[in-house]
Amino acid sequence: MNSTASAGSLGSDAIAGSKLVLALEWIQANTSFWSVMLTLIIGIVVYDQVNYLIKKGSIVGPTFKIWPIMGPFLESVDPKFEEYYNKWMSGPLSCVSVFHKFVVIASTRDLARKILTSPAYVKPCVVDVAIKILRPTNWVFLDGKAHLDYRKGLNNLFTRKSLGIYLPHQENIYDQYFDRFVNVSKNGPIPFMHEFREINCAVSLRTFCGTYITEDQVRIIADNYYKITAALELVNFPIVLPFTKTWYGKKCADMTMDIFAKCAAMSKKAMAEKKEVTCTMDAWIKAMNDSRDEAEANGTKRSIREFTNKEISETIFTFLFASQDASSSATTWLFQLVADNPDVLEKIRAEQLAVRGGDPTKRITLDMVDEMHYTNMVVKECLRLRPPVLMVPYVAKKDYPISEDYTVPKGAMVIPTLYPSLHDPEVYDQPEEFIPERWEEGTTASKGHKNWLVFGTGPHVCLGQKYAVMHFMTMIGKASLELEWSHTITDLSEKIKVFATIFPQDDCILQFKRRDLHAVAA
């Protein structure tokens, strides 16, 4: 009995001992694993901080990355204009680091111009997912000679002659959407930001594709384009996973470019049949055909190469991408600012009636546009006060000695900021005030060409800047004659929301009504 109990006790002790040994081995093994993991994490954090400090050098920026590795990622997800502004005001050069991206921000006019005109050191860049959405073969990713050669084929698209061809399509869209503005606000003021996004999308599509694109296709693209904008926000998930913003954006982009490719095929057929040029695609394809015919006749090299339907569709899509959000921002602020300044509206109306010879129903011509001097000043002042594009991202192709004291490291993003130069009090007296008259000939503002960076400068200056200004002038001019609109001012009306470009935080609350054109003419 005792021996049996003793044996049982020994067996229990042996089992307990084995369990203890196993437990100690497990603790030792896992302690080793977690020690390695902790050491690795600490090493990564230290490397990231040291790497940041080395790149930062002497310029303004956080002393350390408060949030290891990711930096101010959470702030970037929901960008605030005030945070951007504070960064610009902190010094000529400042920096942040978000995950693997080191970003240098240039805030002065001269530094911004230097970056925009330094193709040997920098090239335009976009968010990571943009290559997937815009497609890697897109011309916006070209650099140097390849970019210049491609751009040659586009030079005829925004000449004075071409702008005159686009006007009838634009005015037809104004007619359609002015009716819509009146109808949707008949029961009271509503936010109009989305409506302005739609009219600009429709105007662009008709300008670029003419009648090759159907009403249903225009409506579908206009309704869904915001998904593309959301997918291309500065901070977004870089992998296209199902049902994410990037996934929806890519689906909409692919659909839109497929439509454009079919429109290009129809345009090529029309131009081969020597039909009239009615849109951007026609102008581009006719220039290709003329270049080919001239080369064949003279035995010389073509000045404009042949572009495929796919290339045309991708390029037209980038035109839409470049114009859509910026134009929507400018339109929103333009209607708000004019409504808040009734004296400005009356001056626009007087000029618009005068250039039409007293007939408010007269269709717009390019010669009329040339006479809209005051309307041009209003548009220019709106673009200065509320520039749609705040910053333009570039990437350093090699170490870039941007100043005597600092060199941007190769691979870093370097961002010229446009807003400060357009609010420079030495060039623009009372820079935060809306004063169209500041653009009269001979004024300091009219002579400050170096500060006028609304459309950039250098080799990547906006191709469509004349078209954009003409669009804003003709739209607000026609609206001034045909519509009355009132703005409901809120505490958020002058607060700036950043969504690709900038908009009023309350989305611009307006109400539109029709004017009696017979009374106007009288």
Side-chain angles (χ1 to χ4, degrees):
M1 182 76 174
N2 289 338
S3 62
T4 303
S6 177
S9 176
L10 288 171
S12 297
D13 290 344
I15 293 171
S18 297
K19 288 182 177 179
L20 179 60
V21 170
L22 289 172
L24 290 172
E25 289 177 349
W26 183 89
I27 291 170
Q28 184 179 11
N30 282 278
T31 299
S32 176
F33 170 78
W34 288 114
S35 296
V36 170
M37 289 303 297
L38 182 60
T39 303
L40 182 62
I41 291 171
I42 292 173
I44 292 172
V45 170
V46 170
Y47 171 80
D48 183 60
Q49 291 284 8
V50 171
N51 187 47
Y52 164 71
L53 291 173
I54 292 171
K55 290 180 177 178
K56 175 181 178 294
S58 61
I59 63 175
V60 176
T63 303
F64 296 101
K65 292 176 71 171
I66 297 174
W67 297 102
I69 310 300
M70 72 177 183
F73 169 76
L74 297 177
E75 293 91 331
S76 302
V77 172
D78 182 23
K80 299 289 190 297
F81 175 79
E82 291 76 16
E83 293 171 358
Y84 283 143
Y85 186 83
N86 291 337
K87 179 66 70 174
W88 303 332
M89 295 300 106
S90 67
L93 291 172
S94 58
C95 67
V96 295
S97 180
V98 181
F99 288 114
H100 63 293
K101 293 286 187 184
F102 183 74
V103 183
V104 177
I105 300 164
S107 303
T108 68
R109 178 199 68 186
D110 292 340
L111 284 173
R113 292 185 66 88
K114 184 174 184 178
I115 296 165
L116 293 167
T117 55
S118 298
Y121 285 100
V122 298
K123 65 178 180 179
C125 70
V126 287
V127 294
D128 292 341
V129 77
I131 294 177
K132 300 178 180 70
I133 291 178
L134 300 179
R135 298 177 181 171
T137 53
N138 202 301
W139 80 294
V140 296
F141 303 118
L142 297 177
D143 189 33
K145 186 176 185 302
H147 172 263
L148 292 174
D149 289 344
Y150 201 109
R151 195 172 171 116
K152 284 180 183 178
L154 311 179
N155 287 335
N156 289 328
L157 307 186
F158 298 103
T159 61
R160 178 180 170 80
K161 181 179 179 181
S162 296
L163 295 179
I165 291 169
Y166 306 152
L167 268 175
H169 282 312
Q170 290 175 235
E171 190 163 16
N172 289 338
I173 294 295
Y174 301 155
D175 290 335
Q176 176 186 340
Y177 274 83
F178 287 177
D179 284 340
R180 177 181 171 88
F181 291 174
V182 172
N183 185 56
V184 297
S185 63
K186 64 183 178 183
N187 294 324
I190 64 168
F192 258 83
M193 171 189 161
H194 186 73
E195 296 294 330
F196 290 142
R197 286 178 63 82
E198 285 202 16
I199 188 174
N200 279 285
C201 190
V203 167
S204 294
L205 291 172
R206 280 283 171 237
T207 300
F208 301 152
C209 303
T211 56
Y212 305 123
I213 191 167
T214 68
E215 288 289 341
D216 286 342
Q217 289 171 333
V218 168
R219 192 175 302 109
I220 290 169
I221 295 172
D223 287 344
N224 289 304
Y225 195 86
Y226 76 95
K227 295 178 182 176
I228 299 171
T229 300
L232 292 169
E233 287 173 337
L234 183 61
V235 177
N236 227 326
F237 198 68
I239 301 173
V240 182
L241 295 178
F243 310 112
T244 60
K245 285 194 288 187
T246 52
W247 183 78
Y248 283 113
K250 188 174 188 312
K251 282 178 66 71
C252 292
D254 287 344
M255 174 202 68
T256 302
M257 281 189 263
D258 287 345
I259 290 172
F260 289 166
K262 292 173 183 174
C263 291
M266 289 186 277
S267 176
K268 283 185 175 180
K269 183 175 183 295
M271 293 302 97
E273 296 171 354
K274 306 297 184 183
K275 291 185 178 179
E276 184 181 355
V277 172
T278 61
C279 62
T280 303
M281 279 187 180
D282 284 348
W284 188 359
I285 292 165
K286 183 178 186 301
M288 282 186 233
N289 294 347
D290 290 347
S291 173
R292 178 199 62 210
D293 294 344
E294 182 179 349
E296 289 176 355
N298 300 328
T300 57
K301 184 180 178 181
R302 293 181 61 160
S303 58
I304 300 174
R305 71 172 176 84
E306 189 75 19
F307 290 86
T308 67
N309 294 343
K310 181 175 179 289
E311 287 177 315
I312 293 171
S313 73
E314 291 174 352
T315 302
I316 294 296
F317 185 83
T318 62
F319 288 171
L320 182 63
F321 173 59
S323 67
Q324 171 61 16
D325 292 305
S327 295
S328 300
S329 169
T331 300
T332 304
W333 289 109
L334 185 58
F335 274 91
Q336 175 169 308
L337 286 165
V338 170
D340 291 345
N341 293 271
D343 57 321
V344 171
L345 176 56
E346 288 308 314
K347 290 178 182 178
I348 295 174
R349 282 175 172 160
E351 180 176 77
Q352 293 297 316
L353 194 59
V355 300
R356 288 168 171 78
D359 179 3
T361 65
K362 192 171 182 180
R363 306 302 280 181
I364 303 168
T365 66
L366 213 52
D367 288 338
M368 286 184 200
V369 176
D370 291 340
E371 298 301 316
M372 298 178 186
H373 303 300
Y374 184 76
T375 308
N376 178 267
M377 290 193 292
V378 171
V379 168
K380 199 165 184 179
E381 178 66 352
C382 175
L383 294 174
R384 182 203 67 81
L385 183 63
R386 292 289 183 259
V389 179
L390 300 177
M391 301 174 287
V392 185
Y394 281 74
V395 64
K397 297 190 287 187
K398 55 186 176 181
D399 288 351
Y400 178 24
I402 194 171
S403 70
E404 292 182 0
D405 304 320
Y406 186 73
T407 296
V408 178
K410 178 182 177 180
M413 287 182 69
V414 54
I415 301 181
T417 302
L418 312 184
Y419 190 95
S421 71
L422 295 162
H423 288 74
D424 182 352
E426 293 186 8
V427 179
Y428 308 110
D429 186 41
Q430 302 179 70
E432 301 306 320
E433 298 299 319
F434 180 67
I435 308 172
E437 287 76 12
R438 76 168 79 246
W439 294 104
E440 290 175 351
E441 188 175 352
T443 60
T444 304
S446 68
K447 295 177 181 177
H449 304 298
K450 287 187 176 181
N451 283 69
W452 182 248
L453 293 176
V454 171
F455 297 100
T457 189
H460 292 276
V461 67
C462 178
L463 266 173
Q465 57 180 296
K466 290 182 180 178
Y467 159 75
V469 171
M470 183 187 75
H471 163 48
F472 302 139
M473 289 170 59
T474 52
M475 178 168 50
I476 198 70
K478 184 178 176 70
S480 73
L481 288 177
E482 299 184 5
L483 301 171
E484 295 280 4
W485 67 97
S486 57
H487 175 223
T488 300
I489 299 175
T490 73
D491 292 340
L492 300 178
S493 295
E494 291 299 322
K495 300 288 186 182
I496 295 174
K497 171 174 66 177
V498 180
F499 179 66
T501 54
I502 61 172
F503 296 90
Q505 285 189 13
D506 63 5
D507 290 343
C508 190
I509 302 171
L510 301 172
Q511 182 175 26
F512 286 85
K513 296 179 181 179
R514 278 286 177 188
R515 297 183 80 208
D516 183 352
L517 292 185
H518 294 295
V520 171

